[in-house]
């Protein structure tokens, strides 16, 4: 049922392919890019509810969205339901036409977990439950991202706790918090989670190819969320949809992205984004290793654009 508080044009069809939240990556221009090149749904970076509550200018700036984006999940992090609610209120006051609230319970980095946020919430199921119930009061879908536990039954029990609290979707990353981003993601936990909680599970972890996407969908996941795989190949979404562009076309698309990113965020942030994406297509060009090194060392957009256009 479509929520009257949500712009119905910004509700994705399921199953869907989503750009996962990535700190320092899923900025407005990057979300626009993926929305225009195959994503059904995107996420903001993790946004601090404490920062929103303090009216921190940089934090509030992360709430800027555009009509060119696909349906958007605003992902928040907080240590408890009280601070979460304060942040959610600021989102509603400053952000229009987003699809859902997200709660990050997956980030394993010490600067987040030491403040009882992110993956630290996996050890606090009662608080996690209260956070979901608090956000449900805002009449938006609530999506939660978690990591797998060491034992499968612990993962499934945590998901069940969230489901009882009213969660609309749980994205499971197939690595434990202690693994961080090392090792191989456990796909079996997604298969079992999707079977036990049909219609409620999204997948994340080692989504690098169209075959990976299809495999997760075959488990019954309602959404698949490439993260680092999308950064490594910004045309992954299109490839999954059977769109295969040649090298020159990809270059021109990325150059247009660079100008749009500069318009929105300034040259420095545009250059950072382009350095992430450039390596993905330069590996198919003549003298790729040298060009990738030069692109990484570029100090201006003009410089990196020149490298991309050289044959």
């Amino acid at each position: 049922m479509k929520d009257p508080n949500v712009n119905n044009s910004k509700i994705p069809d399921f199953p869907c392919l989503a750009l996962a939240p990535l700190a320092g990556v899923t900025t407005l221009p990057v979300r626009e890019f993926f929305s225009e090149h195959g994503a059904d749904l995107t996420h903001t970076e993790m946004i601090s509810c404490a920062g929103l509550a303090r009216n921190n200018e940089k934090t509030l700036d992360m709430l800027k969205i555009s009509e060119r984006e696909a349906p958007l999940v605003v992902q928040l992090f907080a240590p408890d339901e009280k601070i979460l609610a304060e942040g959610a209120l600021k989102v509603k006051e400053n952000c229009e036409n987003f699809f859902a609230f997200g709660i990050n319970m997956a980030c394993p980095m010490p600067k987040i977990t030491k403040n009882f946020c992110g993956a630290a919430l996996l050890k606090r199921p009662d608080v996690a439950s209260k956070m979901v119930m608090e956000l449900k009061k805002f009449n938006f879908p609530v999506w939660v991202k978690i990591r797998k536990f060491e034992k499968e039954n612990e993962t499934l029990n945590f998901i069940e706790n969230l489901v009882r609290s009213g969660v609309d979707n749980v994205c499971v990353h197939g690595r434990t918090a202690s693994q961080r981003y090392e090792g191989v993601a456990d796909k079996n936990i997604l298969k079992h989670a999707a079977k036990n909680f049909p219609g409620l599970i999204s997948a994340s972890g080692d989504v690098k190819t169209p075959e990976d996407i299809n495999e997760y969908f075959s488990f019954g996941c309602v959404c698949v969320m490439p993260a680092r795989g999308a950064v490594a190949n910004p045309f992954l979404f299109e490839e999954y949809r059977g769109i295969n562009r040649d090298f020159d076309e990809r270059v021109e698309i990325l150059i247009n992205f660079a100008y749009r990113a500069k318009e929105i965020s300034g040259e420095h942030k545009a250059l950072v984004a382009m350095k992430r994406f450039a390596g993905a297509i330069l590996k198919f060009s003549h003298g790729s290793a040298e060009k990738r090194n030069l692109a990484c060392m570029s100090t201006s957009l003009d410089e990196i654009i020149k490298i991309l256009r050289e044959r």
Side-chain angles (χ1 to χ4, degrees):
M1 181 177 177
K2 293 188 175 182
D3 193 307
N5 291 302
V6 179
N7 180 347
N8 290 336
S9 66
K10 291 292 186 179
I11 296 177
D13 292 323
F14 294 97
C16 73
L17 189 59
L19 177 65
L22 284 165
V25 177
T26 51
T27 58
L28 173 55
V30 171
R31 299 195 308 266
E32 281 189 351
F33 173 87
F34 281 100
S35 297
E36 293 167 357
H37 295 281
D40 300 307
L41 181 78
T42 63
H43 289 75
T44 66
E45 302 173 75
M46 288 194 309
I47 300 176
S48 167
C49 286
L52 291 175
R54 293 194 303 268
N55 290 315
N56 180 277
E57 186 175 343
K58 289 185 178 180
T59 310
L60 288 170
D61 193 57
M62 295 169 74
L63 295 178
K64 291 181 179 178
I65 66 175
S66 89
E67 286 299 317
R68 292 168 62 170
E69 294 186 69
L72 177 69
V73 177
V74 178
Q75 192 180 67
L76 305 172
F77 72 94
D80 58 49
E81 71 278 9
K82 181 178 180 297
I83 296 176
L84 180 68
E86 292 175 0
L89 184 60
K90 292 292 183 179
V91 174
K92 287 201 69 174
E93 291 173 351
N94 292 275
C95 188
E96 295 182 354
N97 296 339
F98 63 97
F99 161 63
F101 282 115
I103 310 174
N104 184 288
M105 301 186 187
C107 181
M109 303 312 292
K111 67 180 181 179
I112 300 296
T113 58
K114 72 179 182 181
N115 293 315
F116 308 105
C117 302
L121 290 163
L122 300 177
K123 299 178 181 179
R124 305 165 71 208
D126 291 344
V127 175
S129 176
K130 291 177 182 177
M131 293 173 83
V132 171
M133 290 189 287
E134 191 65 34
L135 273 196
K136 290 294 289 184
K137 295 176 183 178
F138 288 85
N139 296 317
F140 278 80
V142 175
W143 287 37
V144 173
K145 187 176 182 186
I146 70 169
R147 282 176 172 256
K148 65 167 278 188
F149 288 71
E150 293 289 349
K151 297 180 180 179
E152 180 180 301
N153 68 306
E154 293 177 331
T155 307
L156 298 180
N157 287 341
F158 192 87
I159 295 172
E160 184 175 5
N161 178 61
L162 297 176
V163 171
R164 286 198 306 264
S165 303
V167 77
D168 295 280
N169 184 278
V170 181
C171 177
V172 182
H173 182 106
R175 291 181 176 84
T176 63
S178 61
Q179 282 182 276
R180 296 192 184 179
Y181 303 100
E182 302 298 324
V184 178
D186 177 8
K187 292 185 177 180
N188 282 327
I189 188 60
L190 271 302
K191 181 186 295 185
H192 298 152
K195 180 180 178 180
N196 281 273
F197 305 98
L200 293 175
I201 302 299
S202 293
S204 178
D206 290 350
V207 189
K208 302 175 182 177
T209 66
E211 291 73 26
D212 294 326
I213 295 168
N214 277 322
E215 184 177 18
Y216 278 127
F217 279 137
S218 75
F219 297 159
C221 296
V222 296
C223 184
V224 179
M225 301 186 187
R228 289 180 296 165
V231 176
N233 178 10
F235 294 95
L236 172 60
F237 292 75
E238 288 196 341
E239 289 175 8
Y240 169 75
R241 301 186 188 284
I243 301 170
N244 292 293
R245 302 181 185 275
D246 63 27
F247 178 79
D248 290 336
E249 190 175 10
R250 291 185 177 202
V251 166
E252 292 308 313
I253 287 171
L254 285 186
I255 289 171
N256 287 335
F257 161 73
Y259 291 136
R260 174 64 175 167
K262 180 180 178 180
E263 177 187 341
I264 296 171
S265 305
E267 171 139 354
H268 174 70
K269 289 185 178 179
L271 180 61
V272 170
M274 280 295 285
K275 286 182 178 182
R276 290 192 175 102
F277 289 163
I281 62 169
L282 284 174
K283 62 185 177 184
F284 298 111
S285 69
H286 179 70
S288 60
E290 181 183 358
K291 284 186 176 181
R292 290 168 78 179
N293 286 334
L294 288 171
C296 185
M297 294 185 292
S298 297
T299 58
S300 71
L301 279 182
D302 288 341
E303 189 177 332
I304 200 169
I305 287 170
K306 181 180 179 181
I307 293 166
L308 284 170
R309 281 184 168 155
E310 286 177 349
R311 296 298 289 171

